[in-house]
Amino acid sequence: NAGVMQNPRHLVRRRGQEARLRCSPMKGHSHVYWYRQLPEEGLKFMVYLQKENIIDESGMPKERFSAEFPKEGPSILRIQQVVRGDSAAYFCASSKGGAAGIFGDGTRLSIL
Amino acid sequence: AQSVTQLGSHVSVSEGALVLLRCNYSSSVPPYLFWYVQYPNQGLQLLLKYTSAATLVKGINGFEAEFKKSETSFHLTKPSAHMSDAAEYFCAVSEVNSGGSNYKLTFGKGTLLTVNP
């Protein structure tokens, strides 16, 4: 998984706080995907971004969740007013194009 | 919509035994299919992928998978299990967008492989 950097690796938030998850893609990759993994579930697609554009956000909850991939800097997945159900592992993957991206090691979000 | 079913959430084998992890898919178009492995507290690592070329696909660490269209299957095998193979394995299918490019993955729920000494 070298190359795709996610931080923080672990994040603890209290209900109602905001969570910001960062993903720095591999050098040369301009496509970023975010997935969420709930306990005993496979990964679920959330959003697909290219530089400065959201291509597909069909897997994002309608409220409280947003994502961006600015021209400079990492991609950010933002969760506002977190609730217990947001506890999960969040993974990003990057690629030059196509689905078989390189995955980061994830951010484990815990909500108290 | 595409979907993936992995039969058996937990498979246990002895070291040196055959590994067989089952995956069936549903897709309205010719699929791209993938197997990933996940070790504890890590991300997913691509083992192999099928992209409409040879139906028998060889991957890393001695794994291979065979695409069988008639059975809508893409089972993962390895002739001889090693202790280091113990991990969770995910089968995935890729969706093709309106432009004909494949992008997001739909995953199965995973199969946890344990290897007994």
Side-chain angles (χ1 to χ4, degrees):
Chain A
N1 296 328
V4 178
M5 303 301 296
Q6 289 190 249
N7 65 81
R9 290 293 311 277
H10 300 273
L11 181 61
V12 180
R13 285 286 178 266
R14 297 187 181 279
R15 282 177 293 172
Q17 292 185 318
E18 179 179 287
R20 281 184 177 242
L21 288 62
R22 295 174 185 78
C23 170
S24 297
M26 276 191 70
K27 186 176 181 180
H29 287 188
S30 59
H31 299 239
V32 166
Y33 308 82
W34 284 93
Y35 293 87
R36 177 165 63 176
Q37 185 177 33
L38 293 166
E40 299 184 2
E41 294 281 335
L43 279 74
K44 302 288 188 185
F45 168 80
M46 298 183 75
V47 62
Y48 165 39
L49 310 104
Q50 294 180 23
K51 282 288 187 180
E52 300 185 274
N53 290 303
I54 297 174
I55 307 302
D56 182 344
E57 56 181 348
S58 59
M60 291 275 273
K62 297 292 183 239
E63 298 177 348
R64 303 186 297 109
F65 284 71
S66 62
E68 63 177 8
F69 188 17
K71 185 176 181 180
E72 300 291 339
S75 176
I76 306 289
L77 179 66
R78 182 184 180 201
I79 311 172
Q80 295 178 289
Q81 300 175 334
V82 296
V83 301
R84 287 255 170 87
D86 297 332
S87 294
Y90 292 83
F91 292 93
C92 83
S94 74
S95 75
K96 292 182 179 180
I102 305 298
F103 279 79
D105 284 342
T107 294
R108 273 113 186 123
L109 176 63
S110 298
I111 309 301
L112 301 179
Chain B
Q2 297 175 314
S3 65
V4 173
T5 302
Q6 291 184 241
L7 296 176
S9 60
H10 189 189
V11 171
S12 182
V13 301
S14 298
E15 192 173 18
L18 171 72
V19 175
L20 171 60
L21 304 181
R22 299 178 187 274
C23 172
N24 288 87
Y25 69 92
S26 171
S27 176
S28 59
V29 298
Y32 285 17
L33 294 159
F34 307 82
W35 275 100
Y36 285 87
V37 61
Q38 185 181 32
Y39 297 98
N41 296 315
Q42 293 187 22
L44 277 69
Q45 182 181 6
L46 180 66
L47 280 176
L48 50 80
K49 62 181 178 182
Y50 167 77
T51 57
S52 74
T55 56
L56 182 62
V57 182
K58 294 187 183 298
I60 62 172
N61 302 339
F63 285 94
E64 63 181 35
E66 186 172 8
F67 171 69
K68 291 187 177 180
K69 184 178 179 180
S70 61
E71 299 178 6
T72 61
S73 69
F74 190 57
H75 302 330
L76 182 70
T77 60
K78 182 174 181 178
S80 177
H82 296 162
M83 297 295 289
S84 60
D85 294 327
E88 190 152 23
Y89 292 80
F90 292 94
C91 181
V93 62
S94 172
E95 184 165 323
V96 178
N97 65 13
S98 57
S101 299
N102 72 91
Y103 65 110
K104 65 184 179 184
L105 296 170
T106 299
F107 286 89
K109 291 189 176 183
T111 297
L112 182 64
L113 175 67
T114 58
V115 181
N116 304 308

